[in-house]
Amino acid sequence: MLNLERLRTLDALARHGSVSGAADGLHVTTSAVSQQLAKLEREVGQQLLAKNGRGVRLTDAGRLLAGHAAKILSQVETAQSDIEAQRGQVVGEVRIAAFPTAARGLFPGALTTLRARHPELKLRTTEQEPESGIRSVLRGDADLAVVLDWSNKRLPVPGGLGKAELLDDAPDIAMPSGHPLADRAEVDIEDFAEDDWVSWPEGEFCYDWLMFTLRSKGVEPRIAHLAGEHHTQLALIAAGFGVCVAPRLGRGPVPDGVRLVPVRQPMRRHVHAVWRADAGRRPSIRAAVDALRSAGRALHSPQAGPDNFLKSQDLTACGVSRSQACRSS
């Protein structure tokens, strides 16, 4: 009889490609992974791993069994989902990944709601960029991921995943308050063809979107500075080092000396939740999606304008008065 936990360990090794990666994904030690795999080899009577430099690789028998393990674990997940659905109770653990501004803007409200409504549900969260979050869900390292795409550049969602819309986020252009366009009611992104840009790091989905969008407008971007945190981007803008796209979700306090102006053409970030389709009937997954949607609705509609959207994110809790927030934006 094959041991389910050992099959889970083999599946993690196949997905992560290393003993250390499997250990991280399973939240155990590398020695625990090695012990489980050694026991599995004795159970099946075949070598499943072979040395590969400083690491290991799966043998033909290892790859064959890993393929079966993935199918077995998927069936187990489906069975667990069906049992939970029949019982109707929101219990167990839900691991949620989200890109940073969604984690900052949605997690506090969503987790508070889940804790109040479902005290027996254990929650574990992490920040991950959209592509990484999708990979975590596919690997089974996360149950749910909050991801994004843009109205003019979609993020591919692989088969086998369920998806639900959470909210739309309308970004603004952030510029120094002394910028020639700072007094405009609206701007077009191509109006900044001669400006330096502060952007997300290369390789991230939003960096690729910015390059794609500007080039589609006939503008070759002048990327001067790269920063993953929006607070860092806005600090550079306040110091006069360029302009940037500033989404409203999770924005937080805006530094003095920064002016935020809405973009004239429709430009939206679409925020979604994704999960493995075979886990879609779990009440805990549905409860988490509902809580995230409620947190998104609590931020108010982005069409209300940047000032109202900022107010809805309770800047007073961050030590910034509403009057300061409105002057900054």
Side-chain angles (χ1 to χ4, degrees), residues 35-76:
Q35 290 170 15
Q36 289 282 59
L37 293 173
K39 290 178 181 178
L40 185 59
E41 285 186 324
R42 290 196 294 271
E43 286 178 351
V44 300
Q46 293 195 57
Q47 183 180 0
L48 302 177
L49 303 177
K51 287 191 176 297
N52 184 30
R54 294 184 177 181
V56 296
R57 61 173 177 82
L58 292 174
T59 63
D60 289 343
R63 286 194 295 272
L64 177 64
L65 186 56
H68 285 294
K71 295 175 184 177
I72 291 169
L73 293 170
S74 177
Q75 285 296 109
V76 169

Side-chain angles (χ1 to χ4, degrees), residues 7 9 13 58 62 74-75 107 158 181 204 222 233 244 247 255 260 282 315 326:
L7 290 179
T9 303
L13 178 70
L58 292 174
S74 177
Q75 285 296 109
F107 276 175
L181 303 181
E204 290 189 7
R222 289 165 39 183
Q233 294 180 7
C244 75
L260 299 171
R282 288 176 57 191
L315 293 184
C326 293

Side-chain angles (χ1 to χ4, degrees), residues 138-170:
L138 288 170
R139 289 196 306 260
D141 297 335
D143 300 301
L144 191 70
V146 180
V147 302
L148 68 89
D149 57 20
W150 293 82
S151 52
N152 63 334
K153 187 175 177 63
R154 297 297 185 177
L155 177 70
V157 175
L161 295 183
K163 179 180 176 181
E165 295 183 6
L166 299 179
L167 75 154
D168 281 356
D169 183 26

Side-chain angles (χ1 to χ4, degrees), residues 79-163:
Q80 290 174 333
S81 297
D82 288 345
I83 290 297
E84 284 188 28
Q86 186 180 50
R87 187 171 53 191
Q89 295 179 343
V90 180
V91 295
E93 179 181 79
V94 173
R95 299 159 297 169
I96 311 175
F99 60 94
T101 53
R104 187 162 58 246
L106 297 178
F107 276 175
L111 299 185
T112 298
T113 297
L114 287 168
R115 183 171 59 185
R117 294 179 180 173
H118 311 290
E120 294 185 26
L121 181 65
K122 182 179 179 181
L123 300 164
R124 189 192 301 270
T125 64
T126 183
E127 287 188 358
Q128 291 186 3
E129 291 300 319
E131 300 96 328
S132 178
I134 285 178
R135 289 194 297 269
S136 290
V137 171
L138 288 170
R139 289 196 306 260
D141 297 335
D143 300 301
L144 191 70
V146 180
V147 302
L148 68 89
D149 57 20
W150 293 82
S151 52
N152 63 334
K153 187 175 177 63
R154 297 297 185 177
L155 177 70
V157 175
L161 295 183
K163 179 180 176 181

